[in-house]
Amino acid sequence: MRKHPNPAILENGIYALIWIIVAVVPLFGYYDTGGIHWPEVFHFWQRILPFFALFLINNYLLTALFLKRKRYGMYVLFAALLVCVLFVAGPVFFGKPHPQPIPRFVEFEQFERNERASEVPVWHGKFIRPPRDIRNQRLPWLPMPFKWGCMLNDCLLALLLIGFNVAIHLLFRSIQDARRLKELESQNLKAELQYLKMQVNPHFFMNMLNNIHALIDIDAEKAKETVIDLSRIMRYVLYDADRPTVALRKEVEFIENYIALMMSRYQPDQLDLRTEYPDELPDVQIPPLLLVTLTENAFKHGISYRHPSFIHTRMTLEQGWIVYVVSNSMNGSNSADAAGVGLEILRKRLLLLYENQQMFTVEQEDGVFRATLKIPIEYAHTLYND
């Protein structure tokens, strides 16, 4: 069974990576040939500290208390209050540190006198303008004091941070919900498979035991053969059908044993039975009790004790596909009876197992009911392995 990484661990890992990158960036931004300018680095860290506190409180407190419980109004209210406390009240009452200004030039390379032009000295030097912190700049279109413009910038960045935090959180929550839904689908599939087994077992075994009881006095040897066939079917249903997949050969053997048992209930002139299989079956895996559903439906709805009936089955291999066709007489059966509950469950199983990679059709024409199932030979779906 394949293991998936825990979404919570993956989400926190992404947060940690982002904040590590944010903390490391100033080490390269304030580095030159003279080394790292640690005052500016510490000032940068000091400026992002309120944003880091906002992230921690929002992600691990407000989200758990309000967002996960779908109390969106309370979440918006407390998030707004938190932004006001950190980026409005905090700077007003405690002030905000500013770095020392960087000199406008750092060194001179050459001094010379231009004799022909004038006596004014000409300076040749490297001029370096101090880096401009856009967070300290006043918005030109908003007439307000400098500190209020800086607070507005911080508030906008804080709202952007909250938006990214909520977006990432909802993304991983949707991934987790999708994984839970897939687990529920897997459990539902197993429950439906168990239901199919229960549907085949009780009435079928009861009828077979009654037939065996009647055959004991009529034909003892045939009764013994029926008991052996019944034991093979019970072994397959109890052991092999519990596995995610079985060999196609075993499924075909199970169908043949099932047909042999069912035919013991009818006279040769009462039912026209024809079966056709490939000469060599490929060594592939298919879900258990999948093909037999069509055969069981034909015996259940296609046989009449008062009219001649027929059941024709054919399995072929077509370029990577298994095609199984079962035709039976309807004998006045309506559509609801001809397409029983087993076929509805089969449709659901196919959708979960193959995700629309299969083809299943049902046709009714001139008193003939025909079910065609086409599935890929390579059973590649990972529903059981997730």
Side-chain angles (χ1 to χ4, degrees):
M1 179 171 284
R2 192 170 55 194
K3 294 183 179 180
H4 295 276
N6 191 331
I9 297 178
L10 186 59
E11 180 182 0
N12 290 321
I14 291 178
Y15 292 146
L17 178 62
I18 292 175
W19 283 109
I20 290 175
I21 293 175
V22 171
V24 171
V25 162
L27 297 179
F28 298 94
Y30 293 106
Y31 174 82
D32 56 20
T33 57
I36 300 176
H37 297 275
W38 287 106
E40 287 76 19
V41 173
F42 288 130
H43 171 68
F44 182 90
W45 288 345
Q46 209 168 4
R47 293 292 298 272
I48 67 172
L49 186 60
F51 293 94
F52 184 65
L54 172 67
F55 163 76
L56 293 178
I57 298 174
N58 177 74
N59 188 69
Y60 297 104
L61 183 61
L62 299 184
T63 300
L65 291 178
F66 304 114
L67 196 59
K68 290 184 178 179
R69 300 178 182 180
K70 298 182 179 181
R71 303 173 64 181
Y72 303 118
M74 297 295 294
Y75 173 77
V76 172
L77 176 61
F78 278 90
L81 290 176
L82 181 61
V83 171
C84 292
V85 169
L86 291 176
F87 301 100
V88 178
V92 168
F93 291 101
F94 300 101
K96 184 177 294 186
H98 297 275
Q100 295 295 328
I102 300 178
R104 204 169 273 276
F105 55 87
V106 294
E107 64 177 340
F108 293 100
E109 292 180 343
Q110 184 180 0
F111 168 77
E112 64 180 4
R113 186 182 301 273
N114 192 336
E115 304 252 345
R116 293 178 295 174
S118 65
E119 298 296 328
V120 180
V122 178
W123 299 86
H124 297 275
K126 292 183 178 179
F127 293 89
I128 300 179
R129 294 182 179 273
R132 299 177 62 186
D133 190 346
I134 62 173
R135 288 160 24 88
N136 283 332
Q137 304 303 314
R138 183 173 57 186
L139 296 178
W141 47 268
L142 196 61
M144 60 173 52
F146 166 76
K147 63 178 182 180
W148 295 109
C150 184
M151 290 178 186
L152 179 60
N153 291 340
D154 289 343
C155 290
L156 293 177
L157 291 176
L159 295 178
L160 184 63
L161 173 63
I162 292 177
F164 276 113
N165 187 193
V166 172
I168 294 176
H169 177 75
L170 293 179
L171 173 63
F172 280 94
R173 185 175 179 180
S174 64
I175 294 175
Q176 191 171 9
D177 291 341
R179 184 173 301 172
R180 290 175 180 174
L181 179 60
K182 196 170 185 179
E183 292 176 356
L184 291 177
E185 290 178 349
S186 177
Q187 295 175 4
N188 182 51
L189 175 61
K190 295 178 182 178
E192 290 177 352
L193 179 60
Q194 187 67 23
Y195 173 76
L196 277 179
K197 291 168 57 180
M198 294 175 62
Q199 186 183 23
V200 172
N201 292 348
H203 296 91
F204 175 75
F205 289 141
M206 181 183 65
N207 293 332
M208 290 301 101
L209 290 176
N210 290 335
N211 291 342
I212 294 172
H213 180 266
L215 286 174
I216 291 176
D217 296 331
I218 300 175
D219 191 343
E221 292 299 326
K222 190 174 182 180
K224 293 179 182 179
E225 294 176 0
T226 305
V227 171
I228 295 175
D229 292 336
L230 182 61
S231 66
R232 292 173 181 172
I233 287 182
M234 293 180 64
R235 184 183 303 110
Y236 181 87
V237 172
L238 293 175
Y239 297 103
D240 293 333
D242 281 337
R243 301 174 182 176
T245 59
V246 296
L248 177 61
R249 173 183 51 81
K250 289 189 175 182
E251 183 77 4
V252 171
E253 291 177 357
F254 173 72
I255 295 175
E256 292 178 340
N257 292 331
Y258 179 84
I259 292 176
L261 277 174
M262 296 300 295
M263 288 301 296
S264 65
R265 302 171 54 185
Y266 306 99
Q267 298 298 326
D269 58 346
Q270 190 178 9
L271 176 62
D272 177 19
L273 176 68
R274 302 177 187 177
T275 59
E276 181 181 347
Y277 301 101
D279 296 333
E280 294 184 4
L281 294 175
D283 186 15
V284 295
Q285 299 285 318
I286 65 171
L289 301 179
L290 195 65
L291 304 180
V292 74
T293 304
L294 302 181
T295 308
E296 188 267 343
N297 185 79
F299 274 98
K300 184 176 182 180
H301 300 286
I303 299 178
S304 172
Y305 289 95
R306 292 179 295 180
H307 304 281
S309 306
F310 69 89
I311 296 178
H312 299 165
T313 68
R314 184 178 75 254
M315 178 183 293
T316 57
L317 305 177
E318 299 179 1
Q319 296 181 352
W321 296 84
I322 300 174
V323 182
Y324 189 59
V325 182
V326 179
S327 304
N328 61 269
S329 54
M330 296 181 62
N331 294 317
S333 299
N334 56 34
S335 301
D337 292 336
V341 178
L343 296 188
E344 292 300 322
I345 297 177
L346 177 61
R347 287 189 179 93
K348 296 178 182 179
R349 291 185 63 204
L350 291 173
L351 182 61
L352 294 174
L353 286 167
Y354 292 99
E355 296 181 340
N356 294 323
Q357 296 181 10
Q358 83 293 339
M359 184 185 71
F360 178 59
T361 59
V362 172
E363 302 173 350
Q364 303 180 46
E365 184 179 2
D366 298 332
V368 177
F369 183 87
R370 181 179 295 104
T372 303
L373 176 60
K374 184 177 181 181
I375 58 176
I377 288 181
E378 294 298 333
Y379 177 65
H381 188 56
T382 58
L383 180 61
Y384 285 107
N385 300 323
D386 287 343

